[in-house]
Amino acid sequence: MRRYDRRDLGLLLLRLGTGGVLAAHGTQKLFGWFGGHGIEGTGQFMESVGYAPGKASATAAGLAETGGGTLLALGLATPAAGAAAAGAMAGAAAVHTPNGFFNQGGGYEYAASLGLTAAGLAVTGPGRLSLDHALGHAVNRSWMIPAAFAATAAGTALIVGARARRLRKAKEGEQESLFEEEFME
């Protein structure tokens, strides 16, 4: 039996925990599991927060979370898995940013924590207790890290940018009241 060090065990725990949470969130979106709303309900929510079309956005987010989380937990294709999960969490953080940092106030703390952990795992690698290691790192090469993050960053920037433009345009159509309500009494 090969001896594994603390680093490998720590990476395994991080991968299982982070990947499991991400996969569970993704299956809420895709299948309605664990109290989720499935594609229909999540699609409606996505539309309401500016991600359109809603069903396509729900599908993309669900696949990135489920697929990225599952692959992270397994330690397979770790650069792509971590980058995909980080991209999904950047999209989630964009929704929560107006509420500040802390999760208790609806902020982006939780999404940022999951995204940064997934990104850290993509950069660090999965350790020896992983499918990547067992398969000789065929889908975990050093060049894959910047490639995965570049592709994810480009896609995330386009999607989050389109959402921001959509929200700005909707807000431009709203007329602000001329007087504050407290002065009208």
Short mmCIF file of all heavy atoms in Angstrom, two decimals, residues 8-83:
data_model
loop_
_atom_site.label_atom_id
_atom_site.label_comp_id
_atom_site.label_asym_id
_atom_site.label_seq_id
_atom_site.Cartn_x
_atom_site.Cartn_y
_atom_site.Cartn_z
N ASP A 8 -2.09 15.12 0.56
CA ASP A 8 -3.02 14.35 -0.26
C ASP A 8 -4.36 14.16 0.44
O ASP A 8 -5.41 14.25 -0.19
CB ASP A 8 -2.41 12.98 -0.61
CG ASP A 8 -1.20 13.10 -1.51
OD1 ASP A 8 -1.24 13.89 -2.47
OD2 ASP A 8 -0.20 12.41 -1.24
N LEU A 9 -4.31 13.89 1.73
CA LEU A 9 -5.56 13.73 2.50
C LEU A 9 -6.32 15.05 2.59
O LEU A 9 -7.54 15.09 2.46
CB LEU A 9 -5.26 13.18 3.89
CG LEU A 9 -4.77 11.74 3.94
CD1 LEU A 9 -4.33 11.37 5.36
CD2 LEU A 9 -5.84 10.79 3.45
N GLY A 10 -5.59 16.14 2.79
CA GLY A 10 -6.23 17.45 2.85
C GLY A 10 -6.88 17.82 1.53
O GLY A 10 -8.01 18.33 1.50
N LEU A 11 -6.18 17.56 0.43
CA LEU A 11 -6.76 17.84 -0.89
C LEU A 11 -7.98 16.98 -1.15
O LEU A 11 -8.98 17.44 -1.73
CB LEU A 11 -5.71 17.65 -1.98
CG LEU A 11 -4.63 18.72 -2.04
CD1 LEU A 11 -3.50 18.31 -2.99
CD2 LEU A 11 -5.22 20.06 -2.46
N LEU A 12 -7.93 15.72 -0.72
CA LEU A 12 -9.09 14.85 -0.88
C LEU A 12 -10.29 15.41 -0.13
O LEU A 12 -11.40 15.47 -0.67
CB LEU A 12 -8.76 13.43 -0.38
CG LEU A 12 -9.93 12.44 -0.36
CD1 LEU A 12 -10.44 12.17 -1.77
CD2 LEU A 12 -9.51 11.15 0.34
N LEU A 13 -10.07 15.84 1.12
CA LEU A 13 -11.17 16.41 1.90
C LEU A 13 -11.72 17.68 1.25
O LEU A 13 -12.95 17.86 1.18
CB LEU A 13 -10.72 16.69 3.33
CG LEU A 13 -10.46 15.47 4.19
CD1 LEU A 13 -9.83 15.88 5.52
CD2 LEU A 13 -11.73 14.68 4.41
N LEU A 14 -10.84 18.55 0.80
CA LEU A 14 -11.29 19.78 0.12
C LEU A 14 -12.08 19.45 -1.14
O LEU A 14 -13.13 20.06 -1.42
CB LEU A 14 -10.11 20.67 -0.24
CG LEU A 14 -9.56 21.54 0.86
CD1 LEU A 14 -8.25 22.21 0.40
CD2 LEU A 14 -10.58 22.60 1.25
N ARG A 15 -11.57 18.50 -1.92
CA ARG A 15 -12.26 18.12 -3.16
C ARG A 15 -13.63 17.51 -2.88
O ARG A 15 -14.62 17.86 -3.53
CB ARG A 15 -11.42 17.13 -3.96
CG ARG A 15 -10.21 17.70 -4.62
CD ARG A 15 -9.58 16.76 -5.66
NE ARG A 15 -10.09 15.42 -5.66
CZ ARG A 15 -9.49 14.37 -5.07
NH1 ARG A 15 -8.34 14.52 -4.43
NH2 ARG A 15 -10.03 13.17 -5.13
N LEU A 16 -13.69 16.60 -1.92
CA LEU A 16 -14.97 15.95 -1.61
C LEU A 16 -15.99 16.95 -1.06
O LEU A 16 -17.16 16.94 -1.48
CB LEU A 16 -14.77 14.81 -0.61
CG LEU A 16 -14.04 13.58 -1.13
CD1 LEU A 16 -13.78 12.59 0.01
CD2 LEU A 16 -14.82 12.91 -2.25
N GLY A 17 -15.55 17.81 -0.15
CA GLY A 17 -16.47 18.79 0.44
C GLY A 17 -16.94 19.82 -0.57
O GLY A 17 -18.15 20.03 -0.75
N THR A 18 -16.00 20.45 -1.23
CA THR A 18 -16.35 21.51 -2.18
C THR A 18 -17.09 20.93 -3.38
O THR A 18 -18.13 21.46 -3.80
CB THR A 18 -15.09 22.25 -2.65
OG1 THR A 18 -14.41 22.76 -1.51
CG2 THR A 18 -15.42 23.39 -3.60
N GLY A 19 -16.56 19.84 -3.92
CA GLY A 19 -17.21 19.21 -5.07
C GLY A 19 -18.60 18.71 -4.74
O GLY A 19 -19.53 18.86 -5.54
N GLY A 20 -18.77 18.13 -3.56
CA GLY A 20 -20.08 17.64 -3.16
C GLY A 20 -21.11 18.75 -3.02
O GLY A 20 -22.25 18.62 -3.47
N VAL A 21 -20.69 19.85 -2.42
CA VAL A 21 -21.61 21.00 -2.26
C VAL A 21 -21.98 21.57 -3.63
O VAL A 21 -23.15 21.84 -3.91
CB VAL A 21 -20.99 22.08 -1.35
CG1 VAL A 21 -21.78 23.38 -1.41
CG2 VAL A 21 -20.90 21.59 0.08
N LEU A 22 -20.99 21.74 -4.50
CA LEU A 22 -21.26 22.27 -5.83
C LEU A 22 -22.19 21.34 -6.62
O LEU A 22 -23.14 21.80 -7.27
CB LEU A 22 -19.95 22.47 -6.60
CG LEU A 22 -19.12 23.67 -6.17
CD1 LEU A 22 -17.68 23.53 -6.66
CD2 LEU A 22 -19.75 24.95 -6.69
N ALA A 23 -21.91 20.04 -6.58
CA ALA A 23 -22.75 19.09 -7.30
C ALA A 23 -24.18 19.10 -6.78
O ALA A 23 -25.14 19.04 -7.56
CB ALA A 23 -22.15 17.69 -7.22
N ALA A 24 -24.35 19.18 -5.46
CA ALA A 24 -25.69 19.23 -4.88
C ALA A 24 -26.45 20.48 -5.36
O ALA A 24 -27.62 20.40 -5.73
CB ALA A 24 -25.61 19.20 -3.36
N HIS A 25 -25.78 21.62 -5.36
CA HIS A 25 -26.42 22.85 -5.85
C HIS A 25 -26.79 22.75 -7.33
O HIS A 25 -27.85 23.22 -7.74
CB HIS A 25 -25.51 24.06 -5.63
CG HIS A 25 -25.58 24.61 -4.25
ND1 HIS A 25 -26.58 25.42 -3.82
CD2 HIS A 25 -24.76 24.44 -3.18
CE1 HIS A 25 -26.40 25.74 -2.55
NE2 HIS A 25 -25.29 25.15 -2.14
N GLY A 26 -25.91 22.14 -8.10
CA GLY A 26 -26.20 21.98 -9.52
C GLY A 26 -27.40 21.08 -9.77
O GLY A 26 -28.22 21.35 -10.66
N THR A 27 -27.52 20.00 -8.99
CA THR A 27 -28.67 19.11 -9.18
C THR A 27 -29.98 19.76 -8.73
O THR A 27 -31.04 19.40 -9.23
CB THR A 27 -28.46 17.75 -8.46
OG1 THR A 27 -28.30 17.96 -7.07
CG2 THR A 27 -27.26 17.01 -9.03
N GLN A 28 -29.89 20.72 -7.82
CA GLN A 28 -31.10 21.49 -7.49
C GLN A 28 -31.59 22.22 -8.73
O GLN A 28 -32.80 22.24 -9.00
CB GLN A 28 -30.80 22.52 -6.40
CG GLN A 28 -30.63 21.96 -5.02
CD GLN A 28 -30.37 23.06 -4.01
OE1 GLN A 28 -29.52 23.93 -4.21
NE2 GLN A 28 -31.12 23.03 -2.92
N LYS A 29 -30.66 22.81 -9.47
CA LYS A 29 -31.02 23.56 -10.66
C LYS A 29 -31.48 22.65 -11.79
O LYS A 29 -32.47 22.94 -12.47
CB LYS A 29 -29.82 24.39 -11.14
CG LYS A 29 -29.46 25.53 -10.22
CD LYS A 29 -28.15 26.20 -10.65
CE LYS A 29 -27.79 27.33 -9.75
NZ LYS A 29 -27.50 26.93 -8.36
N LEU A 30 -30.77 21.57 -12.02
CA LEU A 30 -31.06 20.71 -13.16
C LEU A 30 -32.27 19.81 -12.94
O LEU A 30 -33.09 19.63 -13.85
CB LEU A 30 -29.85 19.83 -13.48
CG LEU A 30 -28.61 20.54 -14.00
CD1 LEU A 30 -27.45 19.55 -14.15
CD2 LEU A 30 -28.88 21.24 -15.32
N PHE A 31 -32.37 19.21 -11.75
CA PHE A 31 -33.37 18.16 -11.53
C PHE A 31 -34.38 18.47 -10.42
O PHE A 31 -35.29 17.68 -10.20
CB PHE A 31 -32.66 16.84 -11.18
CG PHE A 31 -31.57 16.48 -12.13
CD1 PHE A 31 -30.26 16.40 -11.70
CD2 PHE A 31 -31.84 16.24 -13.47
CE1 PHE A 31 -29.23 16.06 -12.58
CE2 PHE A 31 -30.82 15.91 -14.36
CZ PHE A 31 -29.51 15.81 -13.92
N GLY A 32 -34.19 19.56 -9.71
CA GLY A 32 -35.08 19.88 -8.60
C GLY A 32 -34.80 19.06 -7.36
O GLY A 32 -35.63 19.02 -6.45
N TRP A 33 -33.66 18.40 -7.30
CA TRP A 33 -33.31 17.58 -6.13
C TRP A 33 -32.98 18.48 -4.95
O TRP A 33 -32.66 19.65 -5.10
CB TRP A 33 -32.12 16.70 -6.43
CG TRP A 33 -32.34 15.66 -7.49
CD1 TRP A 33 -33.51 15.35 -8.14
CD2 TRP A 33 -31.36 14.79 -8.06
NE1 TRP A 33 -33.31 14.36 -9.04
CE2 TRP A 33 -31.99 13.99 -9.02
CE3 TRP A 33 -29.99 14.62 -7.84
CZ2 TRP A 33 -31.32 13.03 -9.76
CZ3 TRP A 33 -29.33 13.66 -8.58
CH2 TRP A 33 -29.98 12.87 -9.52
N PHE A 34 -33.02 17.92 -3.76
CA PHE A 34 -32.63 18.59 -2.52
C PHE A 34 -33.37 19.91 -2.32
O PHE A 34 -32.81 20.90 -1.87
CB PHE A 34 -31.11 18.84 -2.48
CG PHE A 34 -30.28 17.62 -2.76
CD1 PHE A 34 -29.51 17.54 -3.91
CD2 PHE A 34 -30.28 16.55 -1.88
CE1 PHE A 34 -28.74 16.42 -4.17
CE2 PHE A 34 -29.52 15.43 -2.13
CZ PHE A 34 -28.75 15.35 -3.29
N GLY A 35 -34.63 19.92 -2.68
CA GLY A 35 -35.45 21.11 -2.48
C GLY A 35 -35.29 22.18 -3.55
O GLY A 35 -35.76 23.30 -3.38
N GLY A 36 -34.62 21.84 -4.64
CA GLY A 36 -34.42 22.81 -5.72
C GLY A 36 -35.66 22.98 -6.57
O GLY A 36 -36.69 22.33 -6.36
N HIS A 37 -35.57 23.83 -7.57
CA HIS A 37 -36.72 24.17 -8.41
C HIS A 37 -36.61 23.63 -9.83
O HIS A 37 -37.49 23.90 -10.65
CB HIS A 37 -36.92 25.69 -8.43
CG HIS A 37 -37.16 26.25 -7.07
ND1 HIS A 37 -38.34 26.06 -6.39
CD2 HIS A 37 -36.37 26.96 -6.24
CE1 HIS A 37 -38.28 26.64 -5.21
NE2 HIS A 37 -37.08 27.19 -5.09
N GLY A 38 -35.56 22.88 -10.13
CA GLY A 38 -35.41 22.32 -11.46
C GLY A 38 -35.16 23.40 -12.50
O GLY A 38 -35.02 24.58 -12.19
N ILE A 39 -35.11 22.98 -13.74
CA ILE A 39 -34.81 23.91 -14.85
C ILE A 39 -35.88 24.99 -14.97
O ILE A 39 -35.56 26.16 -15.15
CB ILE A 39 -34.67 23.14 -16.18
CG1 ILE A 39 -33.42 22.26 -16.16
CG2 ILE A 39 -34.63 24.09 -17.37
CD1 ILE A 39 -32.11 23.01 -16.13
N GLU A 40 -37.15 24.61 -14.86
CA GLU A 40 -38.23 25.60 -15.03
C GLU A 40 -38.15 26.70 -13.98
O GLU A 40 -38.11 27.89 -14.31
CB GLU A 40 -39.61 24.92 -14.98
CG GLU A 40 -39.93 24.07 -16.17
CD GLU A 40 -40.04 24.86 -17.46
OE1 GLU A 40 -40.53 26.01 -17.44
OE2 GLU A 40 -39.63 24.32 -18.50
N GLY A 41 -38.16 26.31 -12.71
CA GLY A 41 -38.14 27.30 -11.63
C GLY A 41 -36.85 28.08 -11.59
O GLY A 41 -36.85 29.30 -11.38
N THR A 42 -35.73 27.40 -11.80
CA THR A 42 -34.44 28.09 -11.80
C THR A 42 -34.35 29.03 -13.00
O THR A 42 -33.82 30.13 -12.88
CB THR A 42 -33.28 27.08 -11.80
OG1 THR A 42 -33.43 26.21 -10.67
CG2 THR A 42 -31.94 27.79 -11.71
N GLY A 43 -34.90 28.60 -14.13
CA GLY A 43 -34.92 29.46 -15.31
C GLY A 43 -35.69 30.74 -15.07
O GLY A 43 -35.27 31.83 -15.47
N GLN A 44 -36.82 30.63 -14.39
CA GLN A 44 -37.61 31.83 -14.06
C GLN A 44 -36.83 32.74 -13.13
O GLN A 44 -36.83 33.97 -13.30
CB GLN A 44 -38.93 31.42 -13.42
CG GLN A 44 -39.88 30.75 -14.38
CD GLN A 44 -41.11 30.17 -13.69
OE1 GLN A 44 -41.31 30.35 -12.50
NE2 GLN A 44 -41.91 29.46 -14.47
N PHE A 45 -36.15 32.13 -12.15
CA PHE A 45 -35.33 32.94 -11.24
C PHE A 45 -34.20 33.62 -12.02
O PHE A 45 -33.94 34.81 -11.83
CB PHE A 45 -34.75 32.08 -10.11
CG PHE A 45 -33.73 32.82 -9.30
CD1 PHE A 45 -34.11 33.79 -8.40
CD2 PHE A 45 -32.37 32.58 -9.48
CE1 PHE A 45 -33.17 34.51 -7.66
CE2 PHE A 45 -31.42 33.28 -8.75
CZ PHE A 45 -31.83 34.25 -7.83
N MET A 46 -33.54 32.88 -12.89
CA MET A 46 -32.43 33.45 -13.66
C MET A 46 -32.90 34.65 -14.47
O MET A 46 -32.22 35.67 -14.53
CB MET A 46 -31.82 32.39 -14.59
CG MET A 46 -31.12 31.28 -13.85
SD MET A 46 -29.61 31.85 -13.09
CE MET A 46 -28.54 30.49 -13.44
N GLU A 47 -34.06 34.54 -15.09
CA GLU A 47 -34.63 35.67 -15.84
C GLU A 47 -34.86 36.86 -14.91
O GLU A 47 -34.57 37.99 -15.27
CB GLU A 47 -35.95 35.27 -16.49
CG GLU A 47 -35.82 34.37 -17.68
CD GLU A 47 -35.63 35.09 -19.01
OE1 GLU A 47 -35.77 36.34 -19.08
OE2 GLU A 47 -35.34 34.39 -19.98
N SER A 48 -35.37 36.59 -13.70
CA SER A 48 -35.71 37.68 -12.78
C SER A 48 -34.49 38.43 -12.29
O SER A 48 -34.60 39.59 -11.88
CB SER A 48 -36.51 37.15 -11.59
OG SER A 48 -35.67 36.49 -10.66
N VAL A 49 -33.31 37.79 -12.32
CA VAL A 49 -32.09 38.47 -11.87
C VAL A 49 -31.22 38.91 -13.05
O VAL A 49 -30.08 39.32 -12.86
CB VAL A 49 -31.28 37.62 -10.87
CG1 VAL A 49 -32.07 37.39 -9.59
CG2 VAL A 49 -30.81 36.31 -11.48
N GLY A 50 -31.77 38.82 -14.26
CA GLY A 50 -31.08 39.39 -15.43
C GLY A 50 -30.33 38.42 -16.31
O GLY A 50 -29.73 38.84 -17.30
N TYR A 51 -30.33 37.14 -15.99
CA TYR A 51 -29.68 36.16 -16.86
C TYR A 51 -30.71 35.62 -17.84
O TYR A 51 -31.67 34.97 -17.45
CB TYR A 51 -29.08 35.00 -16.04
CG TYR A 51 -27.83 35.38 -15.29
CD1 TYR A 51 -27.81 35.39 -13.91
CD2 TYR A 51 -26.66 35.72 -15.97
CE1 TYR A 51 -26.67 35.73 -13.21
CE2 TYR A 51 -25.51 36.06 -15.27
CZ TYR A 51 -25.52 36.07 -13.90
OH TYR A 51 -24.38 36.40 -13.21
N ALA A 52 -30.51 35.93 -19.11
CA ALA A 52 -31.47 35.51 -20.13
C ALA A 52 -30.73 34.87 -21.31
O ALA A 52 -29.61 35.27 -21.61
CB ALA A 52 -32.27 36.73 -20.61
N PRO A 53 -31.36 33.91 -21.94
CA PRO A 53 -32.63 33.30 -21.57
C PRO A 53 -32.48 32.46 -20.31
O PRO A 53 -31.45 31.82 -20.08
CB PRO A 53 -33.00 32.44 -22.78
CG PRO A 53 -31.72 32.20 -23.50
CD PRO A 53 -30.80 33.35 -23.17
N GLY A 54 -33.53 32.44 -19.52
CA GLY A 54 -33.48 31.82 -18.21
C GLY A 54 -33.19 30.33 -18.21
O GLY A 54 -32.36 29.86 -17.44
N LYS A 55 -33.88 29.58 -19.07
CA LYS A 55 -33.67 28.12 -19.08
C LYS A 55 -32.25 27.77 -19.51
O LYS A 55 -31.63 26.88 -18.94
CB LYS A 55 -34.69 27.44 -19.99
CG LYS A 55 -36.05 27.29 -19.37
CD LYS A 55 -37.02 26.74 -20.38
CE LYS A 55 -37.40 25.33 -20.02
NZ LYS A 55 -38.46 24.80 -20.90
N ALA A 56 -31.74 28.46 -20.49
CA ALA A 56 -30.37 28.21 -20.95
C ALA A 56 -29.37 28.58 -19.85
O ALA A 56 -28.38 27.87 -19.62
CB ALA A 56 -30.06 28.99 -22.22
N SER A 57 -29.63 29.67 -19.16
CA SER A 57 -28.77 30.09 -18.06
C SER A 57 -28.81 29.09 -16.92
O SER A 57 -27.78 28.75 -16.33
CB SER A 57 -29.18 31.48 -17.56
OG SER A 57 -29.02 32.43 -18.58
N ALA A 58 -30.00 28.60 -16.60
CA ALA A 58 -30.14 27.60 -15.54
C ALA A 58 -29.42 26.31 -15.91
O ALA A 58 -28.76 25.70 -15.07
CB ALA A 58 -31.63 27.32 -15.27
N THR A 59 -29.53 25.92 -17.17
CA THR A 59 -28.86 24.71 -17.64
C THR A 59 -27.35 24.87 -17.56
O THR A 59 -26.65 23.98 -17.07
CB THR A 59 -29.30 24.36 -19.07
OG1 THR A 59 -30.73 24.19 -19.09
CG2 THR A 59 -28.62 23.11 -19.57
N ALA A 60 -26.85 25.99 -18.04
CA ALA A 60 -25.39 26.23 -18.01
C ALA A 60 -24.86 26.25 -16.58
O ALA A 60 -23.84 25.62 -16.27
CB ALA A 60 -25.06 27.53 -18.73
N ALA A 61 -25.56 26.96 -15.69
CA ALA A 61 -25.13 27.03 -14.29
C ALA A 61 -25.21 25.65 -13.64
O ALA A 61 -24.30 25.23 -12.92
CB ALA A 61 -25.97 28.04 -13.52
N GLY A 62 -26.29 24.94 -13.89
CA GLY A 62 -26.47 23.61 -13.32
C GLY A 62 -25.41 22.63 -13.79
O GLY A 62 -24.87 21.84 -13.01
N LEU A 63 -25.08 22.68 -15.09
CA LEU A 63 -24.05 21.79 -15.62
C LEU A 63 -22.66 22.14 -15.07
O LEU A 63 -21.88 21.25 -14.75
CB LEU A 63 -24.04 21.84 -17.15
CG LEU A 63 -25.21 21.16 -17.84
CD1 LEU A 63 -25.18 21.44 -19.35
CD2 LEU A 63 -25.24 19.66 -17.56
N ALA A 64 -22.36 23.43 -14.98
CA ALA A 64 -21.06 23.84 -14.45
C ALA A 64 -20.91 23.42 -12.99
O ALA A 64 -19.84 22.94 -12.59
CB ALA A 64 -20.88 25.36 -14.59
N GLU A 65 -21.98 23.57 -12.22
CA GLU A 65 -21.92 23.19 -10.80
C GLU A 65 -21.92 21.67 -10.62
O GLU A 65 -21.09 21.13 -9.88
CB GLU A 65 -23.09 23.81 -10.04
CG GLU A 65 -22.98 25.31 -9.91
CD GLU A 65 -24.19 25.94 -9.26
OE1 GLU A 65 -25.03 25.21 -8.66
OE2 GLU A 65 -24.33 27.17 -9.34
N THR A 66 -22.83 20.99 -11.30
CA THR A 66 -22.91 19.53 -11.16
C THR A 66 -21.68 18.85 -11.75
O THR A 66 -21.04 18.02 -11.09
CB THR A 66 -24.17 18.97 -11.85
OG1 THR A 66 -25.32 19.62 -11.30
CG2 THR A 66 -24.29 17.47 -11.66
N GLY A 67 -21.35 19.22 -12.98
CA GLY A 67 -20.20 18.61 -13.64
C GLY A 67 -18.89 18.99 -12.98
O GLY A 67 -18.06 18.13 -12.67
N GLY A 68 -18.71 20.28 -12.74
CA GLY A 68 -17.48 20.74 -12.10
C GLY A 68 -17.33 20.17 -10.71
O GLY A 68 -16.25 19.72 -10.32
N GLY A 69 -18.42 20.15 -9.94
CA GLY A 69 -18.37 19.62 -8.59
C GLY A 69 -18.07 18.13 -8.56
O GLY A 69 -17.25 17.66 -7.76
N THR A 70 -18.72 17.39 -9.43
CA THR A 70 -18.50 15.93 -9.48
C THR A 70 -17.06 15.63 -9.88
O THR A 70 -16.40 14.78 -9.26
CB THR A 70 -19.49 15.26 -10.45
OG1 THR A 70 -20.83 15.54 -10.01
CG2 THR A 70 -19.27 13.77 -10.54
N LEU A 71 -16.58 16.32 -10.91
CA LEU A 71 -15.19 16.09 -11.35
C LEU A 71 -14.19 16.50 -10.28
O LEU A 71 -13.17 15.82 -10.08
CB LEU A 71 -14.92 16.82 -12.66
CG LEU A 71 -15.64 16.25 -13.89
CD1 LEU A 71 -15.45 17.17 -15.10
CD2 LEU A 71 -15.17 14.84 -14.20
N LEU A 72 -14.46 17.60 -9.58
CA LEU A 72 -13.57 18.00 -8.48
C LEU A 72 -13.54 16.93 -7.40
O LEU A 72 -12.47 16.57 -6.90
CB LEU A 72 -14.02 19.32 -7.86
CG LEU A 72 -13.51 20.60 -8.48
CD1 LEU A 72 -14.10 21.81 -7.77
CD2 LEU A 72 -12.00 20.67 -8.49
N ALA A 73 -14.70 16.44 -7.02
CA ALA A 73 -14.76 15.41 -5.97
C ALA A 73 -13.97 14.17 -6.38
O ALA A 73 -13.28 13.57 -5.55
CB ALA A 73 -16.21 15.05 -5.66
N LEU A 74 -14.07 13.80 -7.64
CA LEU A 74 -13.34 12.63 -8.14
C LEU A 74 -11.86 12.91 -8.38
O LEU A 74 -11.07 11.98 -8.48
CB LEU A 74 -13.97 12.15 -9.46
CG LEU A 74 -15.40 11.61 -9.38
CD1 LEU A 74 -15.95 11.39 -10.78
CD2 LEU A 74 -15.44 10.34 -8.55
N GLY A 75 -11.52 14.19 -8.50
CA GLY A 75 -10.15 14.54 -8.85
C GLY A 75 -9.86 14.19 -10.28
O GLY A 75 -8.80 13.65 -10.60
N LEU A 76 -10.78 14.51 -11.18
CA LEU A 76 -10.65 14.19 -12.60
C LEU A 76 -10.79 15.47 -13.42
O LEU A 76 -11.74 16.22 -13.21
CB LEU A 76 -11.71 13.17 -13.02
CG LEU A 76 -11.69 12.73 -14.47
CD1 LEU A 76 -10.37 12.02 -14.80
CD2 LEU A 76 -12.86 11.79 -14.74
N ALA A 77 -9.85 15.68 -14.34
CA ALA A 77 -9.86 16.90 -15.16
C ALA A 77 -9.92 18.12 -14.26
O ALA A 77 -10.69 19.05 -14.48
CB ALA A 77 -10.99 16.89 -16.18
N THR A 78 -9.10 18.13 -13.25
CA THR A 78 -9.16 19.12 -12.19
C THR A 78 -9.05 20.56 -12.68
O THR A 78 -9.81 21.41 -12.20
CB THR A 78 -8.10 18.81 -11.11
OG1 THR A 78 -8.32 17.47 -10.65
CG2 THR A 78 -8.19 19.75 -9.94
N PRO A 79 -8.18 20.90 -13.64
CA PRO A 79 -8.14 22.30 -14.10
C PRO A 79 -9.48 22.75 -14.70
O PRO A 79 -9.99 23.82 -14.35
CB PRO A 79 -7.03 22.31 -15.15
CG PRO A 79 -6.15 21.16 -14.78
CD PRO A 79 -7.08 20.12 -14.24
N ALA A 80 -10.06 21.93 -15.57
CA ALA A 80 -11.34 22.30 -16.19
C ALA A 80 -12.47 22.30 -15.17
O ALA A 80 -13.32 23.19 -15.19
CB ALA A 80 -11.65 21.33 -17.33
N ALA A 81 -12.47 21.31 -14.27
CA ALA A 81 -13.52 21.23 -13.26
C ALA A 81 -13.50 22.43 -12.34
O ALA A 81 -14.54 23.05 -12.08
CB ALA A 81 -13.35 19.94 -12.45
N GLY A 82 -12.32 22.78 -11.84
CA GLY A 82 -12.21 23.92 -10.94
C GLY A 82 -12.54 25.23 -11.61
O GLY A 82 -13.21 26.09 -11.03
N ALA A 83 -12.09 25.39 -12.85
CA ALA A 83 -12.38 26.63 -13.58
C ALA A 83 -13.87 26.76 -13.87
O ALA A 83 -14.45 27.84 -13.71
CB ALA A 83 -11.58 26.67 -14.88
#
